[in-house]
Each structure stands twice: as C-alpha cells, then as structure tokens.
C-alpha cells in the first residue's frame, strides 16, 4: 500500500492549510493535521491545491510529426503544466478518423502514463468535410472516443454538421467545432482589422467565426444535440453564445490562454510565432473574452497547444504554420489575465481549467472535488512563484512559444495522477 502525505496545502486557496493523506491513489483524509507513519511527505506549505487540469484541445502530433512533438514529450509538457488529462486532436498523419489510429494514441498515452490521453476522433474522413467518419466505431473502440472534431478545419457543410450532431447525440458524445466559414477566410493571414491592413495581410474576419457559431447553435438546438465551440476568439462569438445559452441551447465553449492575453498589436513585429488560427484579435475582443470566461458564457480554458518545427515558424509570415505552444504556460496566463485582475478566484480557476472541461468531455474521474474518497488527481500551485519562459527549456520538442522571455506568475510545483506524482519541482516523472 502506498501512502503520500501532502502537508500544508490550501485546497482552492480557501481557508487555512490542511494535510491531505493519499492512500493507493485515493484521498483518505483531509484535516488540519494528519500524522501518518512511514508515508512519503510532500511539503506543500504555501501552495494551492486544485483538481488536475483537463485540456480539451491539445495537438500531440503523433502519429506523423514526431519531429515536433510526441505523445511522450507532450505528456511531459502536460504534467509540468498541471494537466492530468488531455484531448489529443485528430489532425495527425494519418488522421485519427478510425479505430486503429485512436486506439494507437490511447495505448501510447497509457504506456507513457503521465497524463490521461484521450484521442479526439475526426468528424469527417480525412478532415475533408465531406463524408462522416465512423464515429460509432471510434466510440465503441478501446479508446472510448466521446469528443469528435475536425479541428484545423471547419465542418462547413451544414448537412454534414447536422448528421454529425445526430450521431454524436445518439453516442452521448460531442462535436467540437473549429468555427471558420472557409469561404470567408480564403488566403487569410491575420485578423481582418487595422493591424493587418497596415501590413497588407489578407484578413480573417470575425464574422467567419461568428456566423458558423450562430449556425451551429441553431443546428444543435434543432437536433437536440450538444455542441462545443473550440477556441472562441471574438466578442461577437461570446454574444452569440450568451444568446444561445439563454434560450437553452446545449452549447459549451473554450477560450485559449493566448486569446485572453494577446492581441493583434503583436503583428507589428511580423514574427510568425504570433500566427495562429483563429488569429489574435483586437484588445477589446480579448477583454470581452476575459469577461465572458468570468461570467461562464465561455465555459473553460483550452490550450490549443500546437507545436511546430522551426522551419515552419522561422520563415516569412505567409508561409508559416499557425499555432503556438500552450501546455506549460496555460496556468500562468490564466493567473495573469484572470486571477490578478480579480476576475476569477482559485475556485474559479478549478472550474475553468478542470471541472467544466471534465464535464464537457464526460470524464467521471477528473475535475473531482478535493475530498475523502476522491482520486488524488491534483495540481499543486505556488501562487507566489515566478518564472521566465524559455522555449528551449520547455518539455515540448518544438519551441514556438509567444511568451519567450516573459516573466509569468504562478508555478505548478507538483502534479499528481491518481496519487502518483507525474511532475515535481519542474521535472516530469520518467
Ligand atoms: O493555430 C492552429 N493550429 N489552429 C488550428 O486550428 C490547428 C492548429 C494546428 O494543428 O497547428
Ligand atoms: Zn482549431
């Protein structure tokens, strides 16, 4: 029997410090003072204990682009970022549009064992938006797929989207839509606005996102299915979601850390590290997204962790691939944008980083309360910690972080998955 004693942590940053006794992966006792002879002691004085984070949107790049990330390196980055479950997007090579690929990703995740890796299944064959993939087969596979997405591409055809919603409703699953009307974003390079106009970059208009979100909310309501909206990036999308939720639509939504913090003033440096899809919008969009997250109109934070090789980023803007690393910097960006200005307390951080994403994906053993009988699946965070981001030091193979050289608040000191430390003091378990 293994026992671990977490000494002096403050669950959700509330009340005084407590000791948390973990026996065989389960929380056995939470009290002001616990004595347990022979237990391994983890000194958590000054730390906030939160349920382990759940990322609904991670690109792990395996199979196909193991030069940029693997399930192993991505799992390490996740553990170091406080994550205990990640959803691996389907835009791999081959595409995760069948049971063989999703089972491979799921098995490899289990072998590595640092974080629960849940493969996302593609909605359409080859992400081509034409023919539905075998959703039922993926759902019934060992991987038990419950989230389907063509992320990177929009399911643009309304009839295909309707059928996807009908199938996922029957499977008790959810479609996660990358909302981008392709006819409105041909050749797009950056947010359509002043900054892009000055640089002569073709624009990605906000309405390309908003029109699809509105359409899909209407479709989901018509079908009676659940819809999840990936990486909400505009104020108008938040308005559409508020309206749809108010009339009872079963819709949830995520926002990325970079859309909470960064805006299109970053374009002026012409550094493709800032190129991402959806693009960085205006400062007032970012402010509206922070408010929408605090309000619950946007349910959760998801990283859209998107590793890219140096040659795909250190090139001219139009040739660069969109995406940025996110797993290890997500919590600090949430602290900077939401906790420091008083928009969220630590209870709120637990909600948007862990509880809501676990609910949306239907994970029964993640995002659980810190209480006796619950799995010891936790992130221990030092709210006073500060660190300076260096892409080269991150666990990912790729180094495309937009936060290079920035000093960020909030460090993840330890991550526990069912009682086993998967990261501690900045080092992932091997
Ligand atoms: O910036 C992005 N990168 N957005 C996406 O939708 C896909 C992702 C990727 O796979 O690199
Ligand atoms: Zn996407």
């Amino acid at each position: 029997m293994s026992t671990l004693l977490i000494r002096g942590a403050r669950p959700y940053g509330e009340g005084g410090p407590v000791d948390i006794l973990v026996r065989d992966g389960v929380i056995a006792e939470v009290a002001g003072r616990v004595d347990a002879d022979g237990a391994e002691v983890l000194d958590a004085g000054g730390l906030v204990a939160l349920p382990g984070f759940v990322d609904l949107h991670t690109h792990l790049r395996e199979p196909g682009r193991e030069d940029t990330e693997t399930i192993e390196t991505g799992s390490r980055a996740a553990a170091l970022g406080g994550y205990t479950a990640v959803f691996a997007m389907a835009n791999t090579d081959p595409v995760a549009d069948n049971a063989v690929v999703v089972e491979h990703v799921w098995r490899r995740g289990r072998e590595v064992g640092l974080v629960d890796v849940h493969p996302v299944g593609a909605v359409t064959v080859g992400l081509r938006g034409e023919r539905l993939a075998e959703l039922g087969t993926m759902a019934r596979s060992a991987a038990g797929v419950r989230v389907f997405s063509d992320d990177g591409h929009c399911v643009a055809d309304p009839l295909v989207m309707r059928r996807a919603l009908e199938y996922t409703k029957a499977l008790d699953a959810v479609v996660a839509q990358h909302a981008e009307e392709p006819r409105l974003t041909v050749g797009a390079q950056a947010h359509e606005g002043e900054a892009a106009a000055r640089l002569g970059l073709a624009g990605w208009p906000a309405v390309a996102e908003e029109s699809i979100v509105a359409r899909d909310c209407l479709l989901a309501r018509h079908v009676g299915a659940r819809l999840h909206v990936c990486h909400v990036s505009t104020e108008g999308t938040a308005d559409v979601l508020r309206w749809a939720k108010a009339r009872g639509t079963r819709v949830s939504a995520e926002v990325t850390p970079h859309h909470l913090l960064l805006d299109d003033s970053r374009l002026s440096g012409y550094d493709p590290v800032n190129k991402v899809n959806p693009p960085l919008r205006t400062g007032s969009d970012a402010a509206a997204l922070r408010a929408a997250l605090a309000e619950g109109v946007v349910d959760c934070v998801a990283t859209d962790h998107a590793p890219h090789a140096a040659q795909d980023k250190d090139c001219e803007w139009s040739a660069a691939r969109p995406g940025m690393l996110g797993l290890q910097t997500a919590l600090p960006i949430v602290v900077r944008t939401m906790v420091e200005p008083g928009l969220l307390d630590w209870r709120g951080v637990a909600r948007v980083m862990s509880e809501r994403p676990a609910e949306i994906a239907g994970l029964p053993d993640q995002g659980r309360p810190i209480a006796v009988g619950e799995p010891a699946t936790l992130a221990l965070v030092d709210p006073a910690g500060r660190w300076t981001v260096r892409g080269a030091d991150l666990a990912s193979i790729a180094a495309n972080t937009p936060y290079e050289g920035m000093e960020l608040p909030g460090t993840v000191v330890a991550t526990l998955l069912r009682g086993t430390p998967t990261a501690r003091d900045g080092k992932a378990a091997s």
Side-chain angles (χ1 to χ4, degrees), residues 86-362:
V86 299
F87 284 76
M89 275 299 170
N91 64 338
T92 48
D93 184 10
V95 171
D97 61 3
N98 61 77
V100 174
V101 178
V102 295
E103 283 191 0
H104 166 79
V105 171
W106 177 74
R107 281 225 170 78
R108 185 66 197 127
R110 293 236 305 192
E111 272 167 27
V112 173
L114 291 175
V115 56
D116 291 346
V117 175
H118 296 281
V120 173
V123 176
T124 67
V125 175
L127 309 173
R128 283 192 291 275
E130 293 161 4
R131 207 152 45 81
L132 282 191
E134 293 195 355
L135 310 187
T137 315
M138 289 189 271
R140 283 185 293 272
S141 75
V145 177
R146 286 294 175 276
V147 180
F148 293 93
S149 181
D150 274 4
D151 182 61
H153 303 269
C154 183
V155 181
D157 183 321
L159 182 58
V160 174
M161 187 61 182
R162 177 190 178 159
R163 293 283 178 255
L165 290 166
E166 286 168 348
Y167 272 89
T168 49
K169 180 186 178 189
L171 295 167
D172 196 22
V174 65
V175 177
Q177 173 73 295
H178 170 118
E180 175 187 353
E181 168 48 58
R183 297 281 294 146
L184 292 173
T185 57
V186 175
Q189 293 293 331
H191 170 64
E192 183 179 298
E194 266 171 49
R198 222 174 303 121
L199 297 169
L201 294 173
W204 236 294
V207 70
E209 174 174 308
E210 294 154 4
S211 56
I212 291 289
V213 175
R215 181 202 76 175
D216 287 353
C217 284
L218 294 168
L219 278 174
R221 187 176 149 95
H222 179 70
V223 170
R226 233 150 45 82
L227 167 73
H228 179 72
V229 181
C230 295
H231 40 50
V232 171
S233 71
T234 79
E235 177 169 15
T237 297
D239 290 341
V240 171
L241 290 168
R242 189 177 295 108
W243 167 80
K245 286 186 167 193
R247 65 201 296 261
T249 309
R250 300 169 73 202
V251 60
S252 58
E254 69 191 34
V255 61
T256 69
H258 48 271
H259 289 109
L260 292 173
L261 178 69
L262 307 176
D263 61 47
D264 66 351
S265 63
R266 279 253 177 163
L267 293 182
S268 59
Y270 243 123
D271 183 344
V273 81
N274 296 304
K275 184 173 175 182
V276 66
N277 178 6
L280 301 180
R281 305 284 186 183
T282 67
S284 69
D285 284 304
L289 295 173
R290 295 191 291 269
L293 182 64
E295 187 189 344
V297 160
V298 170
D299 298 75
C300 65
V301 171
T303 66
D304 199 359
H305 177 84
H308 285 297
Q311 71 268 21
D312 293 323
K313 278 298 200 181
D314 300 341
C315 55
E316 61 172 304
W317 184 282
S318 62
R321 292 190 195 223
M324 23 182 86
L325 299 184
L327 286 169
Q328 285 182 252
T329 47
L331 176 78
I333 302 297
V334 169
V335 173
R336 164 89 6 117
T337 56
M338 302 298 295
V339 179
E340 287 183 345
L343 289 167
L344 282 184
D345 55 16
W346 290 106
R347 180 70 68 169
V349 172
R351 185 176 79 245
V352 302
M353 306 266 310
S354 178
E355 293 161 7
R356 282 299 291 141
E359 283 166 14
I360 291 164

Side-chain angles (χ1 to χ4, degrees), residues 3-50:
T3 8
L4 175 70
L5 183 61
I6 303 169
R7 202 176 274 298
R10 295 174 60 232
Y12 309 100
E14 295 166 356
V18 296
D19 292 352
I20 303 170
L21 183 68
V22 179
R23 222 180 253 133
D24 287 335
V26 175
I27 298 175
E29 211 178 325
V30 181
R33 179 83 194 181
V34 176
D35 285 306
D37 285 348
E40 185 191 342
V41 175
L42 200 163
D43 178 12
L47 305 185
V48 171
L50 299 172

Side-chain angles (χ1 to χ4, degrees), residues 380-398:
L380 300 175
V381 173
D382 181 358
R386 292 279 178 283
W387 63 296
T388 302
V389 182
R390 301 279 171 220
D393 295 342
L394 299 175
S396 291
I397 297 171

